[in-house]
Amino acid sequence: MESRKICFIGAGNMSRAIISGLVGSGYPADAIIASNPSTPKLDALRQHFGVCVTTDNQAAVNNCEVVVLAVKPQLMQSVLAELKHIDFSNKLVISIAAGIPVDRYGEYLQQPLRLVRAMPNTPTQIGFGMTGLLRTQLSAEDTLYVEQLMSAGGKVLWVDKEADLNLVIALAGSSPAYFFLFMESMISAGEKLGMDPAQARLLAQQAALGAAQMVSHNPDTAVSTLRENVTSKGGTTAQAIATFEAGDLRHLVEQAMINCIKRAEEMADTF
């Protein structure tokens, strides 16, 4: 992968996740700049990964070839207003903000951009991330660079429409929290039933890891078939599954994803 000089505007969890994936895959730390208005997160990034840090967004952007916009959607316009006097013609911009459509960035910066919208998730920091990438008018060189950059933290999926990127948010960007909630509920139930907290966590996390690996290692087997293979008729698993079905778990999951997408659409109209 090319080691272009890259800056992260914002030093939150997703910047940390991507930087962790990059440095862990061999991207030179001295080619990475993180910029943030406060210093605690910057200090942590410098200490853990050896990257350059600054509180000056303009200096960071001026000294890089790739700009990763990792600020909250509601702050994007004000952050970019301070950068619009900078010439972005020779810079590649990657936004990881949810909701804000591609055209809005050009409006905020008052100039045309080479821009990619990316939707990574937090497992990117340990190499098991999933990132959705929205195609724009990129050169083959830029396309390859972005794909390799985000692949440092896991798998990538290119989509052709912004509506599809909202589906990526619901299916991958936000979904680690769904699984954490499910595991949290399992662990809590285990504790209430008398299990030691550490033991309950070990059992739940290993079961979740094993289930994910079973899906990954059996790409030609439907997930429903994997579930059925565990569910003996009249057995303990069948009783648990019947309880989930009686509670209409499938509908609840679908509605949660629909609401996630709706919020992304609302953000597109708001910011």
Side-chain angles (χ1 to χ4, degrees):
M1 185 196 331
E2 293 180 73
S3 298
R4 302 186 193 182
K5 193 78 171 181
I6 181 171
C7 71
F8 289 78
I9 305 301
N13 291 336
M14 283 313 312
S15 287
R16 182 182 178 89
I18 298 170
I19 290 171
S20 176
L22 287 175
V23 174
S25 68
Y27 206 93
D30 60 4
I32 300 173
I33 306 171
S35 180
N36 202 61
S38 59
T39 58
K41 291 180 179 178
L42 293 178
D43 291 340
L45 289 174
R46 181 176 55 205
Q47 291 169 9
H48 284 96
F49 306 111
V51 300
C52 306
V53 299
T54 181
T55 57
D56 187 338
N57 288 346
Q58 296 183 42
V61 172
N62 275 322
N63 287 288
C64 72
E65 302 166 84
V66 182
V67 181
V68 179
L69 299 175
V71 298
K72 289 180 171 59
Q74 59 267 32
L75 299 177
M76 188 66 73
Q77 184 172 10
S78 61
V79 168
L80 295 186
E82 298 176 356
L83 302 175
K84 63 185 180 183
H85 68 282
I86 297 174
D87 181 6
F88 277 78
S89 60
N90 291 316
K91 302 182 188 296
L92 174 63
V93 179
I94 303 171
S95 172
I96 63 172
I100 303 176
V102 168
D103 293 345
R104 197 74 48 79
Y105 294 92
E107 295 172 7
Y108 288 160
L109 287 168
Q110 299 180 7
Q111 57 188 297
L113 299 172
R114 294 153 53 209
L115 184 137
V116 174
R117 281 190 62 197
M119 278 292 109
N121 61 13
T122 53
T124 295
Q125 64 186 291
I126 57 171
F128 286 93
M130 183 69 237
T131 300
L133 297 168
L134 177 64
R135 294 185 186 278
T136 58
Q137 298 299 317
L138 292 182
S139 67
E141 184 180 19
D142 281 346
T143 299
L144 178 61
Y145 172 79
V146 171
E147 184 163 324
Q148 291 178 335
L149 183 80
M150 302 311 297
S151 293
K155 296 185 181 297
V156 301
L157 174 70
W158 287 97
V159 299
D160 296 317
K161 306 189 301 293
E162 291 197 286
D164 291 340
L165 203 59
N166 289 340
L167 290 173
V168 171
I169 294 173
L171 274 162
S174 297
S175 65
Y178 315 164
F179 295 108
F180 295 150
L181 177 60
F182 196 85
M183 293 170 67
E184 183 184 350
S185 301
M186 289 176 62
I187 294 167
S188 177
E191 292 177 23
K192 289 178 181 178
L193 293 170
M195 178 68 70
D196 174 82
Q199 293 177 329
R201 174 169 175 149
L202 174 63
L203 292 169
Q205 73 184 34
Q206 190 63 22
L209 177 62
Q213 290 290 349
M214 286 286 288
V215 173
S216 179
H217 283 75
N218 294 277
D220 298 324
T221 303
V223 175
S224 59
T225 300
L226 294 174
R227 171 183 55 79
E228 291 164 0
N229 290 343
V230 187
T231 312
S232 301
K233 186 175 181 180
T236 56
T237 306
Q239 192 66 39
I241 295 296
T243 304
F244 288 132
E245 297 285 19
D248 208 0
L249 177 64
R250 296 173 190 270
H251 174 73
L252 188 62
V253 171
E254 180 182 357
Q255 191 58 53
M257 292 175 62
I258 288 171
N259 289 342
C260 181
I261 293 168
K262 285 181 178 178
R263 180 55 184 153
E265 293 171 345
E266 289 171 359
M267 292 167 74
D269 293 332
T270 303
F271 306 119

